[in-house]
Amino acid sequence: MTLALIVLAAGKGTRMNSDLPKVLHPIAHAPMLAHAMAAGATLDPARTVIVTGHGAEAVSAAAREIDPDVHVVIQNDQNGTAHAVEQARAALQGFEGDAIVLYGDTPFVRPETLERMIAARAGADLVVLGFHAADPGRYGRLVMQGDTLERIVEYKDASDDERAITLCNSGLVACDCALLFDLIAQVENVNAAEEYYLTDIVALARARGLSATAVTCDEAETLGINSRTELAAADAVFQARARAEALENGVTLMAPETVYFAHDTLIGRDSVIEPNVVFGPGVTVESGATIRAFSHLEGCHVSRGAIVGPYARLRPGAELAEETRVGNFVEIKNAVIDEGAKVNHLSYIGDAHIGAAANIGAGTITCNYDGVGKHHTEIGARAFIGSSTMLVAPVSIGAGALTASGSVITRDVEPDALAIGRAPQQNKPGRAARLFEILKKKKEKDAV
Ligand code: UD1
Ligand code: MG
């Protein structure tokens, strides 16, 4: 079946109280629009139309970044969900097949659920996705008669009896594309909100003797986001799903509820994730790696058998090869750490390459930034960087070389060489005792 997707994303989202358009608020580091579009994309639609309005420029840019083939249409005044669908008419002129209306603020619908809606179209002209709500709040209510959906009533317009209905409208609709626009043309704005309600197409279809039905799904799938509170709840739903999936995929999460996933986090089987680990976007962790407690990772790759943390920070471009060690209070950015290399304590490694089996001593810093440009540090295989070495980039340390602790290395070091870049030590016999004597006397004198 040829499908068109219409994603409604023009709403003001007034209750978000934000300068950012509602559908661009992120859930697990991806705009909610991206989640909604990803669900729709699994159906392999022939055409996807995004209806933007509020914050159109930003929303269009985001939509095109997610899918360069989308058609973006603008709804200048947000006069309701039916009015929003109407804006897609020209983009879908002559389209033969079904249209599915998705909401940009309803990001979690599962592909299986969309498939069920499509399957239900075999028996009904109009299929609406509903859900049984524990707390139906301000959702629209589905008025059923047996398996037939008679109409949808918006909360604002509902009687007490109708408000008592717990079967709610998710907003998602599947129907023949031409019929959808036919019905939309008939919608009027005679309701409490003075908006053109998409939901009205059900009663209009029934009045024409067409059939309508509802497919139901879990409430978590249809969560519609209208406020920051609902945004936080949506993130919680996403996290619960991501944790369950990770566990299912053979990842050990010692305290699942404390691990925060991004929308694209990938973790291999038999990895261990300790408590309070945060994954930003773009992280892949191979099988059998361990991410210890309180580590923060984004835009990085961790290979098999590597151990990261506790309290490590991997920033974009950190690439850890197999069996590497990155210990506590270590920050790695845009740096490749080859197999078996160790950066175990209190270091900053940025814009660098560390060769295999090199050992980076505690407190080592790559001084990569001179206030204007960033510079590269190259460390050869098996090099031993003494504790508290400052590597002033651009600089290169040869394979097997050694830097003395506390060195400030400003020139390249040849392979197997020892580099000492620190002031020579002087010992002054008795001088400490004499100095303390002087200081004590001064203190006594000052006290009088
Ligand atoms: C809508 C439904 C309600 C359902 C709920 C589910 C209608 C009339 N009501 O209410 O039955 O229970 O969703 O979450 O459809 N939008 C536009 N242009 C507009 C208005 C809205 O593009 O002029 C978009 C919004 O950006 C959003 C979606 O449509 O993505 C839903 O709009 P919203 O205002 O959140 O509708 P609800 O009041 O939640
Ligand atoms: Mg809504």
Side-chain angles (χ1 to χ4, degrees):
M1 150 95 67
T2 325
L3 269 181
L5 284 184
I6 304 171
V7 185
L8 305 191
K12 296 184 196 73
T14 317
R15 284 170 59 211
M16 295 300 282
N17 191 12
S18 174
D19 290 338
L20 189 69
K22 174 165 84 170
V23 295
L24 296 188
H25 278 266
I27 295 167
H29 295 283
M32 60 176 98
L33 178 64
H35 291 269
M37 285 173 68
T42 60
L43 296 175
D44 197 18
R47 209 171 296 179
T48 299
V49 183
I50 311 284
V51 183
T52 71
H54 187 75
E57 213 169 293
V59 174
S60 310
R64 291 206 170 96
E65 198 173 311
I66 298 159
D67 175 1
D69 295 331
V70 293
H71 296 249
V72 177
V73 299
I74 312 276
Q75 182 194 26
N76 286 316
D77 296 308
Q78 282 77 60
N79 292 333
T81 43
H83 182 250
V85 173
E86 173 62 32
Q87 311 310 308
R89 184 186 292 273
L92 292 172
Q93 196 66 52
F95 184 88
E96 282 178 25
D98 266 18
I100 294 198
V101 179
L102 299 179
Y103 282 8
D105 74 346
T106 304
F108 294 141
V109 61
R110 284 183 194 268
E112 305 87 271
T113 302
L114 296 175
E115 298 283 1
R116 281 197 294 123
M117 287 178 74
I118 291 167
R121 272 276 295 119
D125 295 306
L126 205 61
V127 176
V128 168
L129 181 65
F131 60 101
H132 289 281
D135 170 15
R138 306 183 65 83
Y139 285 116
R141 307 296 208 265
L142 301 190
V143 181
M144 302 292 294
Q145 205 129 75
D147 283 342
T148 296
L149 174 62
E150 291 296 347
R151 60 200 166 85
I152 306 177
V153 56
E154 285 306 293
Y155 178 82
K156 281 184 192 166
D157 305 295
S159 64
D160 285 347
D161 277 356
E162 288 165 335
R163 285 182 182 181
I165 297 173
T166 57
L167 181 59
C168 294
N169 176 32
S170 73
L172 276 66
V173 178
C175 145
D176 174 77
C177 190
L179 173 63
L180 175 69
F181 286 106
D182 220 31
L183 292 168
I184 291 281
Q186 267 185 279
V187 173
E188 292 174 0
N189 64 344
V190 285
N191 52 57
E194 293 184 2
E195 283 186 1
Y196 295 91
Y197 289 164
L198 175 61
T199 44
D200 284 353
I201 64 171
V202 175
L204 290 168
R206 291 295 295 137
R208 290 189 191 188
L210 298 171
S211 56
T213 193
V215 161
T216 57
C217 69
D218 194 71
E219 190 176 352
E221 285 187 51
T222 57
L223 193 95
I225 298 157
N226 302 295
S227 65
R228 304 270 182 167
T229 306
E230 287 167 1
L231 181 68
D235 212 306
V237 166
F238 177 89
Q239 295 305 326
R241 264 197 202 182
R243 290 165 191 149
E245 263 170 40
L247 294 166
E248 202 61 40
N249 291 342
V251 177
T252 295
L253 303 178
M254 286 168 62
E257 66 287 358
T258 69
V259 177
Y260 188 89
F261 287 94
H263 66 104
D264 58 355
T265 308
L266 287 175
I267 304 182
R269 195 162 164 267
D270 287 325
S271 287
V272 176
I273 314 297
E274 290 188 0
N276 296 294
V277 170
V278 175
F279 293 102
V283 177
T284 47
V285 176
E286 286 182 14
S287 296
T290 300
I291 313 296
R292 304 199 58 200
F294 294 97
S295 294
H296 188 284
L297 294 80
E298 61 185 314
C300 63
H301 178 77
V302 177
S303 302
R304 198 176 283 268
I307 301 177
V308 174
Y311 298 97
R313 179 166 184 212
L314 301 185
R315 290 174 52 205
E319 297 270 343
L320 275 51
E322 295 188 10
E323 305 299 331
T324 47
R325 299 282 177 272
V326 169
N328 42 269
F329 309 110
V330 170
E331 174 179 345
I332 313 256
K333 184 217 69 169
N334 187 32
V336 176
I337 318 290
D338 284 351
E339 197 168 336
K342 293 178 183 152
V343 193
N344 267 332
H345 332 268
L346 299 155
S347 290
Y348 171 63
I349 304 295
D351 303 306
H353 170 227
I354 297 180
N359 186 82
I360 311 299
T364 295
I365 307 284
T366 52
C367 310
N368 60 326
Y369 185 48
D370 55 19
V372 179
K374 303 278 171 68
H375 304 283
H376 182 83
T377 298
E378 182 68 30
I379 297 175
R382 292 168 286 96
F384 186 98
I385 306 300
S387 293
S388 209
T389 296
M390 300 294 119
L391 297 158
V392 183
V395 74
S396 131
I397 311 294
L402 187 156
T403 67
S405 297
S407 290
V408 178
I409 302 294
T410 56
R411 283 185 288 120
D412 290 354
V413 179
E414 343 39 297
D416 296 317
L418 164 64
I420 308 173
R422 63 189 184 202
Q425 180 173 330
Q426 298 176 46
N427 289 6
K428 313 261 180 182
R431 277 283 281 277
R434 283 222 307 281
L435 181 64
F436 288 135
E437 211 42 51
I438 291 165
L439 291 175
K440 265 189 226 154
K441 282 207 177 113
K442 184 175 182 301
K443 193 175 180 184
E444 277 161 22
K445 202 174 136 212
D446 288 350
V448 250

